[in-house]
Amino acid sequence: ALETLQIALWGTLLGIVLAVPLGFLAARNLHGNRWLYQATRQLLNVIRSINELILALVFVSAVGLGPFPGVLALALHGMGMLAKFFAEAIEEIDDGPLQALRSAGASQLQIIAFGVVPQVITAWIAVVLYRFEVNLRSATVLGMVGAGGLGFELVSSLKLFRYQETATCIIVITVNAGAFISAIVKGALESVEVGQIEAGRALGLTEHQILWHLVIPPAFKMMLPALFNQFIISVKDTAMLSIISVNEI
């Protein structure tokens, strides 16, 4: 489990390092070079279209078994995802501070440091934390193709008929999945406006009515996209693992 956490952490950090410069290049409002913008966007689209399992298989063949190919696979795929979100956050910022810095004669690096980063840092942190949670789940799956981590231990114990170790790995994976879903539900519940709850109490609604009419509907609306996204990712990973298992047989 510790190795899985390390793979997810280093994959996320390396992905951030690679994604930041690409995010600036993929932002339309930071430069007027249309060809550079389009080329960067297309590159990110290609990187995001390649599944982490495919990348893990490629890197396992290139550098061998272990956690290193898992880190590379997560970093490369995460680079495409993070750079896209970074660029979109940059394109949504207020252009006023940028114009003021340009009028004062600031260089492009100073404009980025003092006009762009302060406006996008909050959105970037939220995206990075979400990507780390996704990488933590993906690191388990990547281990099943030899990229280290808990998945590798799971497959190894199955092949050696060590079912007690297999059961332990499954329990840890289940706990991680439950923690991830709990984080989604918690975030959705925290997004519910307290003012609506207080207004419901002022109108004399019971706690049961407040829960079913003022809390659950907006919370469900907030967490539905995240849960659906995780369902799609799970289906994709299951299909890829099925293909790999059939090829091994």
Side-chain angles (χ1 to χ4, degrees), residues 65-225:
L65 299 174
F68 186 54
V71 172
L72 293 178
L74 291 178
L76 187 58
H77 190 270
M79 176 188 71
M81 296 296 295
L82 289 175
K84 176 180 181 295
F85 286 118
F86 287 174
E88 290 178 351
I90 293 173
E91 290 178 347
E92 294 175 359
I93 64 175
D94 183 13
D95 196 52
L98 306 187
Q99 296 295 338
L101 288 170
R102 291 191 183 102
S103 301
S107 64
Q108 187 67 19
L109 184 60
Q110 291 174 325
I111 291 174
I112 292 175
F114 300 105
V116 177
V117 174
Q119 296 189 65
V120 300
I121 189 66
T122 304
W124 282 15
I125 291 174
V127 171
V128 167
L129 291 176
Y130 174 75
R131 185 63 201 180
F132 173 71
E133 292 179 353
V134 172
N135 284 346
L136 186 60
R137 183 198 58 79
S138 298
T140 303
V141 180
L142 295 183
M144 296 181 182
V145 296
L150 194 59
F152 184 74
E153 298 296 331
L154 175 62
V155 174
S156 300
S157 61
L158 276 173
K159 292 181 178 179
L160 296 175
F161 304 105
R162 297 175 180 174
Y163 296 119
Q164 291 181 342
E165 295 181 7
T166 302
T168 302
C169 293
I170 292 174
I171 290 173
V172 173
I173 293 172
T174 304
V175 170
N176 287 337
F180 183 72
I181 295 175
S182 298
I184 294 176
V185 175
K186 179 182 177 182
L189 291 175
E190 289 178 347
S191 67
V192 178
E193 295 183 6
V194 180
Q196 292 183 353
I197 298 176
E198 295 298 332
R201 288 174 178 156
L203 292 174
L205 297 179
T206 64
E207 294 297 326
H208 183 270
Q209 291 174 324
I210 291 174
L211 177 65
W212 282 101
H213 297 287
L214 299 180
V215 176
I216 291 181
F220 182 76
K221 183 179 179 181
M222 287 292 297
M223 68 182 178
L224 187 60

Side-chain angles (χ1 to χ4, degrees), residues 3 5 7 15 25 39 41 82-83 87 97 107 115 147 151 176-177 186 202 204 242-244:
E3 189 176 76
L5 179 62
I7 292 173
L25 293 177
R41 284 284 183 168
L82 289 175
S107 64
N176 287 337
K186 179 182 177 182
S242 300
I243 295 173
I244 294 169

